[in-house]
Amino acid sequence: MKSITKPLLFITLLALPLMGVLSVSGCASTSTQSGTGEYIDDSVITTKVKAAILNEETLKVAEINMETFKGVVQLSGFVNSQEDIQRAVVVARSVAGVKSVENDMRVK
């Protein structure tokens, strides 16, 4: 029994650090893909921006599409006026966590 225990302990001690490295690298972000934490943060930011736009009487949240990647919010869609575009950008910028806003909205 002792002869099996030492090699098993040795393999376990070697495997634990390797498993830690693999699990951390699986969740790491790259320039084109968010890590798990960033993805969750981006989802929260998108939800907050949608809520803020929904609270604006002049804006229609159904007309504006939002995507967030690493804190950068991209707005797109077709709205009624240039003022609506400007207002949506201002509202999105005011949300906590937003690093910048890219505007791809167009007037109908």
Side-chain angles (χ1 to χ4, degrees):
M1 198 75 159
K2 284 185 178 182
S3 63
I4 295 175
T5 307
K6 281 186 180 181
L8 186 57
L9 178 62
F10 180 73
I11 291 171
T12 303
L13 291 175
L14 286 177
L16 285 176
L18 180 59
M19 288 182 346
V21 168
L22 290 175
S23 66
V24 170
S25 66
C27 298
S29 66
T30 66
S31 62
T32 59
Q33 185 175 15
S34 295
T36 304
E38 288 173 323
Y39 178 78
I40 292 169
D41 292 344
D42 288 342
S43 297
V44 170
I45 290 170
T46 300
T47 301
K48 287 181 179 180
V49 171
K50 284 182 181 183
I53 288 177
L54 183 64
N55 287 330
E56 288 292 318
E57 291 181 19
T58 60
L59 299 176
K60 296 178 183 170
V61 74
E63 294 178 340
I64 303 171
N65 301 311
M66 288 154 250
E67 300 251 349
T68 306
F69 182 72
K70 295 188 177 188
V72 177
V73 176
Q74 180 180 10
L75 302 176
S76 61
F78 295 94
V79 296
N80 292 325
S81 67
Q82 186 64 37
E83 291 78 22
D84 286 349
I85 291 174
Q86 293 168 343
R87 186 69 193 141
V89 170
V90 168
V91 168
R93 283 187 182 140
S94 71
V95 172
V98 173
K99 294 180 181 175
S100 66
V101 176
E102 294 180 2
N103 173 26
D104 290 327
M105 292 180 287
R106 303 286 182 254
V107 176
K108 292 180 189 176

